[in-house]
């Protein structure tokens, strides 16, 4: 099982993602510069956090047209796993691979914290190692994490179990229905504001992100290639 | 040459926290009569064409594809010849 981590100008969590895959799963993982258009050699793609293209215009709006996104669309279409973390989530929304849009936090501040979350769907390849409605702690660090979608989309997300992570306690950004992470209808494209890659060892303050990575490997072993 | 002045705004249904913060500041500066503030973006785009229908078509396409996010934003624009 081979991972790709696309790197855009302004990405800054790419190395964290690469290290998380190496240290938790011991699987091959490559950084892929955004001018590369093909991701055929990979089974999973992680779009990392950061400030791609300086967050100009709207977060993620310019990265969406990078050549590497062709490979991301193709991977998503083929049912391979695509994860967007923080800025990666914003890119997936702008790209239309996930429904909704990101707004600036309702308090207008950059929020950097350890956040309590609940795993709302533990039947996904990304979450199967978590317990039912398990409460976990992951770091957040963003100013544009205020997820928005219209009511019709929200009820569809809720009905289909597409809300994967929800903020517990105080909502750190004002997102609709306390949403912290969602998955597409097919269940192979995940977007989330919290950073699982920054919480894979106890010394990091939490190791709760590790199960997201181990879930994928377990699914891979059980079901073979995606 | 045509110049397009494009205004991108949050849809009325989408909360504008920046507008609210500015409203609060205006109130504290004595502008208590301000009822609402909405913040948008203005973009000026110059197009190398003399055909206004074509200019309009191009601006429409770039708004849809990149300049506005239709999930949360509306856009409008004006074309000005030779600007």
């Amino acid at each position: 099982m081979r991972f790709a981590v696309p790197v855009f100008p302004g990405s800054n969590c790419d190395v964290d993602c690469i290290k998380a895959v190496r240290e938790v799963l011991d699987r091959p993982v490559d950084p892929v510069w955004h001018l590369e258009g093909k991701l055929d050699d990979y089974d999973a793609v992680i779009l990392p956090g950061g400030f791609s293209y300086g967050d100009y215009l709207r977060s993620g709006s310019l990265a969406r047209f990078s050549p590497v996104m062709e490979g991301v669309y193709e991977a998503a279409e083929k049912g391979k796993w695509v994860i967007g973390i923080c800025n990666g989530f914003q890119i997936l929304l702008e790209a239309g691979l996930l429904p909704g849009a990101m707004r600036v936090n309702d308090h207008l501040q950059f929020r950097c914290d350890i956040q309590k979350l609940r795993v709302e769907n533990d039947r996904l390849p990304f979450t199967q190692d978590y317990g039912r409605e398990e409460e976990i702690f992951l770091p957040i660090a963003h100013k544009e994490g205020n997820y928005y979608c219209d009511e019709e989309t929200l009820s569809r997300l809720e009905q289909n179990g597409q809300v994967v992570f929800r903020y517990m306690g105080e909502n750190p950004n004002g997102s609709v229905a306390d949403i912290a992470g969602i998955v597409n209808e097919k269940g192979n494209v995940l977007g989330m504001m919290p950073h699982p890659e920054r919480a894979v060892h106890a010394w990091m303050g939490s190791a709760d992100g590790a199960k997201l990575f181990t879930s994928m490997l377990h699914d891979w072993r059980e079901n073979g290639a995606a | 040459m045509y110049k397009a002045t494009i205004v991108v705004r949050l849809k009325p249904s989408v909360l504008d926290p920046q507008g609210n913060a500015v409203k609060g500041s205006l109130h504290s500066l004595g502008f208590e009569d301000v009822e609402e503030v909405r913040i948008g973006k203005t973009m000026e785009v110059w197009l190398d064409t003399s055909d206004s229908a074509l200019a309009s078509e191009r601006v429409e396409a770039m708004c849809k594809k990149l300049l506005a996010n239709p999930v949360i934003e509306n856009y409008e624009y004006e074309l000005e010849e030779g600007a």
Side-chain angles (χ1 to χ4, degrees):
Chain A
M1 184 181 185
R2 184 176 278 272
F3 288 78
V5 178
V7 183
F8 302 93
S11 296
N12 64 14
C13 300
D14 40 318
V15 176
D16 290 351
C17 289
I18 288 167
K19 284 191 173 179
V21 171
R22 281 195 189 133
E23 291 174 15
V24 177
L25 302 181
D26 194 21
R27 293 287 127 177
V29 51
D30 298 320
V32 179
W33 186 235
H34 70 116
L35 296 176
E36 193 69 45
K38 287 273 173 198
L39 294 171
D40 293 348
D41 296 340
Y42 301 97
D43 308 298
V45 183
I46 304 177
L47 293 171
F51 299 86
S52 59
Y53 294 89
D55 269 355
Y56 298 155
L57 192 64
R58 297 178 306 275
S59 310
S61 65
L62 300 180
R64 176 211 164 165
F65 294 104
S66 274
V68 76
M69 288 305 292
E70 284 304 315
V72 174
Y73 281 116
E74 213 172 290
E77 180 66 35
K78 283 182 179 160
K80 293 180 179 181
W81 296 325
V82 177
I83 304 178
I85 300 166
C86 201
N87 188 225
F89 185 11
Q90 295 161 343
I91 295 169
L92 290 176
L93 292 170
E94 284 284 341
L97 286 169
L98 289 171
M102 215 52 95
R103 300 168 298 184
V104 67
N105 293 353
D106 60 357
H107 45 69
L108 296 173
Q109 289 165 349
F110 189 95
R111 190 56 65 81
C112 186
D113 217 338
I114 296 263
Q115 176 70 41
K116 190 175 180 185
L117 305 163
R118 189 171 57 217
V119 181
E120 298 284 32
N121 182 344
D122 63 338
R123 302 172 305 281
L124 293 163
F126 309 108
T127 56
Q128 59 166 327
D129 285 359
Y130 291 105
R132 194 178 157 78
E133 297 187 353
E134 186 174 338
E135 293 184 358
I136 61 172
F137 288 88
L138 292 181
I140 55 163
H142 60 255
K143 193 181 173 184
E144 275 99 19
N146 184 352
Y147 177 77
Y148 172 83
C149 63
D150 59 32
E151 282 182 22
E152 194 190 321
T153 307
L154 178 62
S155 68
R156 211 173 55 231
L157 290 175
E158 299 279 12
Q159 276 168 18
N160 296 342
Q162 289 175 253
V163 177
V164 184
F165 300 105
R166 226 187 283 269
Y167 299 117
M168 300 291 291
E170 193 205 354
N171 180 330
N173 51 40
S175 65
V176 158
D178 300 330
I179 284 174
I182 57 169
V183 75
N184 65 343
E185 220 172 313
K186 224 159 76 177
N188 68 313
V189 178
L190 169 73
M192 59 192 296
M193 288 314 294
H195 289 270
E197 82 283 10
R198 293 191 197 172
V200 296
H201 299 295
W203 61 261
M204 291 176 160
S206 165
D208 290 345
K211 284 187 198 168
L212 187 133
F213 296 94
T214 57
S215 291
M216 285 191 278
L217 188 59
H218 289 153
D219 194 79
W220 175 263
R221 283 182 177 147
E222 284 155 26
N223 300 320
Chain B
M1 181 86 96
Y2 270 92
K3 177 186 161 191
T5 304
I6 302 162
V7 179
V8 177
R9 296 187 177 89
L10 282 172
K11 286 181 178 174
S13 56
V14 177
L15 190 79
D16 179 7
Q18 291 186 77
N20 285 344
V22 171
K23 183 176 81 174
S25 293
L26 287 172
H27 284 176
S28 68
L29 288 170
F31 299 99
E32 294 93 352
D33 47 342
V34 172
E35 288 195 0
E36 195 179 5
V37 178
R38 306 281 293 176
I39 293 180
K41 294 174 205 165
T42 307
M43 299 169 217
E44 296 173 303
V45 177
W46 285 266
L47 292 113
D48 182 16
T49 176
S50 53
D51 180 340
S52 82
L54 179 68
S56 173
E57 190 184 305
R58 300 291 286 166
V59 172
E60 193 74 40
M62 61 183 85
C63 284
K64 285 205 170 82
K65 194 163 187 196
L66 176 65
L67 301 180
N69 181 338
V71 179
I72 50 171
E73 293 172 330
N74 290 328
Y75 63 86
E76 56 188 57
Y77 58 87
E78 277 177 13
L79 285 174
E80 205 180 327
E81 195 176 4

